Amino acid sequence: FFIAFRTAVVDLTFLIEYARFLRMNIYNIIYMSTHKIISKQFISDTAFVLKFERNDISFEPGACVSIKNRPYSIASSASDEYIMLLVRKIGEVSTYLSELSPDDEIVVQDTFNYFNPGKGMRDGEYVYIATGVGVAPFLSAFKSYQHKPYMTAYGIRESKDLIEDLLISSMSHRLVVAVSREDGYAAKRVTDASVLNQIPLKDNFTYYLCGVDGMIDQVSDHLIHNGVEVTNVKSELFFMQ
């Protein structure tokens, strides 16, 4: 019952917000603007960091920006003069973005945000759990807020995929890394017991999850089965795009 209820709450929240976003797009109500590419840097064979001019885009950590009707979580600080995205090249839109060069221009649609990781939280009373480029909204929060989570659990394929900004942020909080395609690490995935058992289960904690649906389902189920209230588990699903 709890699994089904949790899944329904998470899915319904996202679907309502994203349906609203799509409706705005269909009727051309949303704001659209042209931005110049600043830089593009591959951090692995398929993942890259894309920076473009911010212009007058306003957002809080957790916000997504849409390009060609595909949402991407913003990884830059709310005070940065640029927008930074973490993108994995796996679909039509991400392939298009991977082929851009500095000074190229892209059309960007307005932001939307229902996730808000870390907003209004106390220092050390929340947890971040992410896989791959799903760490983007947490990077934005790290750089925007003075308070930090109790810990971040981060799953990647290879050690070279570890984002430098996340390593820097780990100086002020606990970072647990799971690496699926290399030996020598305590865990292969953030869903492994060795990682899940390090996550504190407390009534006053909020748990933010961002990544693929399998990870979100497994970690959410673990938290809820161990007494965490459904309303204290927040998630953002990573789209194959």
Side-chain angles (χ1 to χ4, degrees), residues 124-125 150 199-207 223 226-229 232:
E125 292 190 354
Y150 172 84
I199 301 174
L201 304 170
K202 297 187 178 182
D203 293 339
N204 62 328
F205 268 45
T206 301
Y207 304 84
L223 295 172
N226 284 279
V228 174
E229 293 291 335
N232 287 345

Side-chain angles (χ1 to χ4, degrees), residues 68-178:
K68 292 184 176 289
N69 297 328
R70 297 292 187 179
Y72 290 91
S73 292
I74 297 174
S76 44
S77 164
S79 61
D80 284 338
E81 296 183 354
Y82 56 84
I83 298 294
M84 182 174 81
L85 307 179
L86 301 183
V87 184
R88 186 170 297 281
K89 183 181 175 182
I90 53 176
E92 180 180 349
V93 180
S94 56
T95 298
Y96 156 74
L97 294 176
S98 73
E99 296 171 349
L100 294 173
S101 300
D103 294 330
D104 286 345
E105 293 185 338
I106 56 172
V107 175
V108 176
Q109 296 159 295
D110 202 8
T111 61
F112 70 101
N113 189 357
Y114 76 96
F115 193 38
N116 296 306
K119 183 177 181 179
M121 294 288 103
R122 289 186 173 185
D123 192 66
E125 292 190 354
Y126 56 102
V127 173
Y128 291 154
I129 302 142
T131 53
V133 295
V135 77
F138 302 147
L139 293 180
S140 179
F142 287 141
K143 295 181 282 187
S144 300
Y145 300 135
Q146 290 187 345
H147 57 77
K148 297 294 184 286
Y150 172 84
M151 68 174 284
T152 295
Y154 184 40
I156 52 179
R157 296 177 180 179
E158 300 175 299
S159 56
K160 66 181 181 180
D161 295 338
L162 191 58
I163 309 296
E164 183 178 359
D165 285 350
L166 186 58
L167 281 173
I168 294 173
S169 73
S170 68
M171 298 176 185
S172 58
H173 81 291
R174 187 177 184 183
L175 175 64
V176 178
V177 178

Side-chain angles (χ1 to χ4, degrees), residues 176-233:
V176 178
V177 178
V179 183
S180 63
R181 296 182 179 178
E182 292 180 11
D183 296 326
Y185 291 85
K188 291 289 187 180
R189 293 174 175 81
V190 294
T191 53
D192 289 352
S194 60
V195 176
L196 295 179
N197 291 339
Q198 296 183 58
I199 301 174
L201 304 170
K202 297 187 178 182
D203 293 339
N204 62 328
F205 268 45
T206 301
Y207 304 84
Y208 297 92
L209 287 59
C210 188
V212 294
D213 54 356
M215 180 278 286
I216 289 176
D217 287 343
Q218 291 182 57
V219 175
S220 296
D221 293 344
H222 166 78
L223 295 172
I224 294 167
H225 278 152
N226 284 279
V228 174
E229 293 291 335
V230 174
T231 53
N232 287 345
V233 181

